Amino acid sequence: MDYRYATEEDTSLILYFIKELADYEKKLDEVVADEKLLKEWIFDKQKAEVIFALENGKEVGFALFFHNFSTFLGRAGIYLEDLYVMPEYRGKCYGKGLLKTLAKIAIERGCAVWNGGDWNKPSIDFYLSLGAEPMKDWTVYRIAGETLKELAN
């Protein structure tokens, strides 16, 4: 199994994986990202990173992540926004390989932790099998769109 960082030339592939994940989560209608936005935010502004899992040179999964910061720990962490492996490649350890690669990146960068979502039971079971621990007493909230504009005013 091989893994590689995405480059700007992969923008359409990143969007493809985002849409595949959204379709899997039955949220495809919520995707407003397009190639222009992804290029701007991932590559021009360098606000996120993507690694791909490869089988025989073909991208079969991806992880999109970015840095956050823990004031209690006094260091950056890695926030895992998306992890997705194409259905026909599941069960071949690509998801685990992506997480292992992410763990190596975190260690190389001196990062503390990574976070993930809480709705997907198979994913949660997978994280738990790797020794991940749920953070008790924490809930993630989102303010976006018009609500964010109203707050800013």
Side-chain angles (χ1 to χ4, degrees):
M1 289 181 220
D2 292 317
Y3 302 88
R4 71 170 180 88
Y5 282 95
T7 65
E8 190 174 316
E9 292 74 33
D10 294 312
T11 304
S12 63
L13 183 59
I14 295 168
L15 182 59
Y16 168 80
F17 276 113
I18 290 169
K19 288 182 176 180
E20 286 291 305
L21 174 60
D23 189 43
Y24 171 74
E25 294 179 352
K26 299 186 181 4
K27 295 181 179 184
L28 187 56
D29 59 326
E30 295 181 29
V31 176
V32 296
D34 60 22
E35 288 184 34
K36 182 177 181 236
L37 281 171
L38 293 176
K39 179 190 171 300
E40 175 185 358
W41 286 93
I42 296 173
F43 299 106
D44 297 343
K45 294 183 178 181
Q46 299 180 345
K47 297 297 181 184
E49 298 175 73
V50 174
I51 51 176
F52 291 113
L54 307 171
E55 180 172 283
N56 298 321
K58 177 187 177 187
E59 294 81 1
V60 299
F62 89 126
L64 186 145
F65 63 98
F66 54 88
H67 288 277
N68 58 12
F69 191 85
S70 170
T71 55
F72 286 13
L73 297 175
R75 64 175 65 187
I78 287 182
Y79 186 91
L80 175 60
E81 177 69 21
D82 290 336
L83 177 80
Y84 179 79
V85 175
M86 297 167 77
E88 61 270 29
Y89 296 95
R90 292 182 189 152
K92 296 183 176 184
C93 294
Y94 288 108
K96 184 176 184 177
L98 283 165
L99 287 176
K100 286 179 77 162
T101 302
L102 194 60
K104 289 175 187 173
I105 292 168
I107 289 169
E108 288 169 6
R109 296 180 185 182
C111 293
V113 296
W114 77 67
N115 302 37
D118 70 349
W119 70 271
N120 185 331
K121 176 116 173 67
S123 294
I124 292 168
D125 292 343
F126 173 61
Y127 296 148
L128 293 173
S129 77
L130 297 174
E133 297 177 14
M135 298 208 34
K136 306 276 191 250
D137 302 325
W138 287 89
T139 301
V140 176
Y141 294 91
R142 176 180 288 164
I143 297 177
E146 288 303 313
T147 306
L148 182 62
K149 290 177 186 174
E150 290 172 16
L151 178 61
N153 291 326

